[in-house]
Amino acid sequence: MTTIETKATTPDEAWWRQAVVYQVYPRSFADGNGDGIGDLAGILSRIDHIVSLGVDAVWLSPFYPSALVDGGYDVDDYMDVDPRIGTLEEIDRLVATLHAHGIRVMVDLVPNHSSNLHESFRAAVAAGPGSPERDLFVFRDGRGEHGELPPAEWSSLMGDPAWTRVPDGQWYLHLFTKEQPDWNWANPAVHEYFLKVLRFWGDRGVDGFRVDVANALTKRLDDELPTQEELDTPGAFPVGDHPLFDRDDVQDVYREWRQVFDEYDPPLMAVAEAWVTPERRLRYTASGGLDQAFGFDLLRATWDPASFRRIIEESYALAERADVPATWVFSNHDVVRHATRYGLVGGGDENDWLLSRGAHPAEDRDLGLRRARAVTMLALALPGSAYLYQGEELGLPEVMVPDEQRQDPVFWRKGGKEIGRDGCRVPLPWTKDGSSFGFGTGGAHLPQPEWFAQYAAELQEQDPASTLHLYRRALGLRRRLQSAARMEWLELGEDVVAFQRPGGWCSVTNFGSRPATLPRGTVLLASDERGIQDGSLLPDTTVWLDLRPAATTQSA
Ligand code: BGC
């Protein structure tokens, strides 16, 4: 176990409260052995890149043994590493190396479901109805004369039915694919097992967890099961007592985990992935359980200053109530990259764009990148923690992966009605040439388009105006300027989102189509070098200004 000396970005009680966390999706980051799948050796070979960004922590998406039915979120063994990705020794080395650079490490924990290849699920199927093994998962007899009908006609979030039959006739529940059976959180043995998993990683020196589908886990499965329509009807169940999601009693699980987190010094941290309303999000942090929950509201916001202002305002109101800093996220491995989302012009959204295979709305990559750079700087200027997704520091757009090469079960199991998430999971371009743009010496498990060359990290290294340099500069300045204290709005017009921070600096973003007049101040950083002209901020640009009188010798 390694210890870590460095403090987080700003003096705040706990390291994570103002941290910038960089998400690594191991299979697509860098491939050390040339088999086309990213691995720990690959990550270790690119440590300098991560360090150069100036992030406080790395979150590793699943690297566990997995058949990859759902990109690794189908976990065969929570306490091991997939041999295609590496070994436990390499994880130890990665943790130690990141710690030596002052970077914390979070791992992804997937507690709602395992995989059908997990030894406990195999044992459950083998042991038969009524066995203690079977009770670790959610098994039921079917309906109909011979139990030939599922216990309920529910569909999983991946499109196919949510109940699957095993050879002896019983059915098991899976909210995701049939290869992802749900654990039975009504069984204390499941609780014990996960406490063991938490300690396994805590003892290895990991600093925290990202908790996958944190709003599922506990369920109320009465004899009489509701219909799908009832499940989907807002208000059909009292808040906190929906049979499947966001139940109040899931917090008991997290309170139990808290005790394990607090066995460590500093305590382990955990962030909830819970697609719930902002109001409900509070419960995941204010209950003596997990530390924070991703705020996905900005991620869903269109290029609209009023929405940005409202979401920021609401997020702070909630953060203050829960005494937990807000979290800011624009991209992750589940959504269309924000450089593409903000570049779709002419009506329609990213789902239309995906379904039309990129035909409409039209994608304006330059505009998308300008706006992505602008909103990233805006969010980095806000108090709270920020989660970045690998490749956004290169300004990568979404890739339109050809249908036949798609891997995401969402695409295949929904019969193409949803396109899925492969486009943001395409292996990163490190070099402008090479069989997989420097991802590895072999190919790439998802196809990289030709235009990836122009986004290569090696090219961006040489270009001071690149997105890569912008991220480094923004994170460097943030480290110096950031504080936990609240921001104050500045009124600079309807199209402008501007706020001041303690220490006399401010962030100004122009969402409009005309130049916006800037207050007097010294430019600290602009999302576009050519974005300031004659004291005005051009559209689609953010600038950070030092407003202190002594600093205004050089005017914006
Ligand atoms: C993960 C997805 C995954 C799902 C099931 C999500 O929240 O981020 O990638 O498909 O959980 O584990």
Side-chain angles (χ1 to χ4, degrees):
M1 174 169 164
T2 45
T3 50
I4 190 162
E5 305 293 335
T6 340
K7 279 194 76 72
T9 313
T10 53
D12 199 343
E13 317 88 90
W15 67 264
W16 49 268
R17 290 177 68 94
Q18 301 293 325
V20 176
V21 183
Y22 180 72
Q23 179 188 359
V24 170
Y25 189 77
R27 287 177 177 83
S28 301
F29 189 73
D31 173 15
N33 65 4
D35 68 355
I37 297 179
D39 48 34
L40 300 178
I43 303 173
L44 280 159
S45 75
R46 296 285 180 189
I47 286 287
D48 288 353
H49 175 83
I50 298 175
V51 172
S52 78
L53 287 174
V55 295
D56 300 292
V58 162
W59 144 35
L60 293 168
S61 275
F63 46 75
Y64 313 107
S66 167
L68 296 188
V69 170
D70 184 20
Y73 286 88
D74 43 323
V75 179
D76 297 354
D77 184 346
Y78 293 80
M79 292 178 277
D80 206 350
V81 177
D82 191 303
R84 287 165 295 183
I85 293 197
T87 60
L88 281 171
E89 288 66 38
E90 279 175 312
I91 279 281
D92 292 344
R93 194 153 9 113
L94 181 58
V95 171
T97 308
L98 288 168
H99 279 180
H101 288 286
I103 298 173
R104 314 262 174 180
V105 182
M106 296 162 62
V107 296
D108 220 307
L109 187 73
V110 189
N112 178 65
H113 45 268
S114 67
S115 88
N116 58 337
L117 301 179
H118 191 285
E119 62 172 5
S120 297
F121 188 74
R122 290 185 204 236
V125 174
S131 61
E133 287 88 345
R134 204 156 266 204
D135 195 46
L136 292 177
F137 296 88
V138 184
F139 277 90
R140 281 259 173 140
D141 292 329
R143 291 167 305 133
E145 205 180 328
H146 307 289
E148 69 282 9
L149 297 173
E153 305 286 346
W154 296 344
S155 40
S156 76
L157 295 169
M158 297 294 196
D160 43 10
W163 292 90
T164 290
R165 201 169 195 197
V166 294
D168 59 41
Q170 273 207 316
W171 299 74
Y172 65 91
L173 176 68
H174 49 92
L175 295 185
F176 293 88
T177 68
K178 66 177 177 353
E179 291 84 358
Q180 292 165 293
D182 281 32
W183 290 100
N184 175 16
W185 279 92
N187 185 335
V190 171
H191 292 240
E192 286 308 313
Y193 175 69
F194 274 91
L195 297 181
K196 197 168 131 195
V197 172
L198 296 179
R199 290 196 180 97
F200 179 86
W201 291 107
D203 291 351
R204 288 201 106 82
V206 151
D207 304 281
F209 301 94
R210 175 261 189 192
V211 183
D212 189 65
V213 226
N215 56 322
L217 280 66
T218 57
K219 287 153 192 133
R220 177 165 57 78
L221 299 169
D222 303 331
D223 289 345
E224 189 74 25
L225 294 175
T227 62
Q228 182 72 48
E229 202 189 333
E230 283 165 334
L231 288 178
D232 294 343
T233 306
F237 303 94
V239 175
D241 196 24
H242 187 278
L244 303 181
F245 293 110
D246 194 26
R247 298 180 50 72
D248 285 344
D249 56 17
V250 74
Q251 304 307 333
D252 297 339
V253 174
Y254 301 136
R255 278 189 281 269
E256 200 174 72
W257 291 9
R258 178 84 259 155
Q259 292 173 22
V260 174
F261 297 160
D262 289 345
E263 289 168 10
Y264 295 82
D265 181 21
L268 302 178
M269 73 79 71
V271 56
E273 185 226 18
W275 291 80
V276 295
T277 61
E279 183 70 30
R280 289 293 292 173
R281 201 157 67 218
L282 279 190
R283 295 192 60 77
Y284 291 80
T285 60
S287 60
L290 304 180
D291 294 293
Q292 53 181 183
F294 291 128
F296 290 131
D297 313 298
L298 268 194
L299 184 152
R300 289 193 268 210
T302 55
W303 184 253
D304 168 36
S307 307
F308 269 69
R309 262 187 238 106
R310 180 182 47 75
I311 290 167
I312 293 169
E313 194 57 43
E314 272 174 20
S315 300
Y316 283 117
L318 291 173
E320 273 166 22
R321 265 169 61 196
D323 190 25
V324 169
T327 55
W328 308 109
V329 187
F330 286 112
S331 278
N332 62 33
H333 66 294
D334 286 333
V335 297
V336 169
R337 284 186 176 277
H338 67 288
T340 291
R341 293 202 312 269
Y342 288 122
L344 299 179
V345 287
D349 63 12
E350 64 269 22
N351 290 321
D352 302 312
W353 181 79
L354 286 169
L355 285 166
S356 69
R357 307 302 188 270
H360 50 81
E363 183 190 7
D364 179 338
R365 283 212 186 116
D366 291 337
L367 178 69
L369 181 56
R370 274 206 309 282
R371 290 182 171 177
R373 289 166 59 129
V375 293
T376 298
M377 270 188 63
L378 183 163
L380 288 175
L382 291 166
S385 38
Y387 284 82
L388 309 177
Y389 176 50
Q390 69 178 39
E392 67 167 88
E393 77 281 18
L394 304 177
L396 275 189
E398 186 84 355
V399 176
M400 188 53 71
V401 175
D403 284 1
E404 60 285 1
Q405 284 169 285
R406 290 202 173 268
Q407 298 174 6
D408 191 347
V410 164
F411 175 72
W412 295 106
R413 309 216 177 168
K414 291 198 174 175
K417 287 204 192 85
E418 272 181 45
I419 303 304
R421 305 158 292 177
D422 296 304
C424 62
R425 300 175 179 181
V426 174
L428 297 187
W430 294 96
T431 56
K432 63 183 176 23
D433 306 301
S435 58
S436 52
F437 299 110
F439 168 63
T441 51
H445 67 95
L446 279 166
Q448 299 162 303
E450 282 306 311
W451 52 258
F452 249 33
Q454 75 202 62
Y455 292 86
E458 74 172 356
L459 288 183
Q460 300 204 24
E461 276 303 341
Q462 294 151 21
D463 174 6
S466 68
T467 306
L468 179 57
H469 281 293
L470 177 72
Y471 268 66
R472 287 181 185 152
R473 280 201 291 268
L475 291 173
L477 271 172
R478 174 183 157 108
R479 190 169 282 275
R480 193 150 63 73
L481 300 172
Q482 182 64 291
S483 77
R486 205 192 150 97
M487 37 48 97
E488 302 290 333
W489 291 111
L490 291 174
E491 294 305 331
L492 299 178
E494 248 181 38
D495 290 338
V496 177
V497 174
F499 50 87
Q500 189 168 346
R501 301 300 320 278
W505 66 290
C506 74
S507 173
V508 184
T509 305
N510 185 357
F511 284 79
S513 52
R514 284 190 309 249
T517 308
L518 282 171
R520 276 182 70 77
T522 303
V523 176
L524 296 166
L525 185 65
S527 62
D528 179 345
E529 278 189 334
R530 293 147 308 166
I532 299 165
Q533 280 170 19
D534 306 326
S536 292
L537 184 64
L538 296 189
D540 310 314
T541 313
T542 292
V543 64
W544 293 354
L545 293 176
D546 189 338
L547 298 174
R548 290 168 306 166
T552 54
T553 44
Q554 191 193 341
S555 154

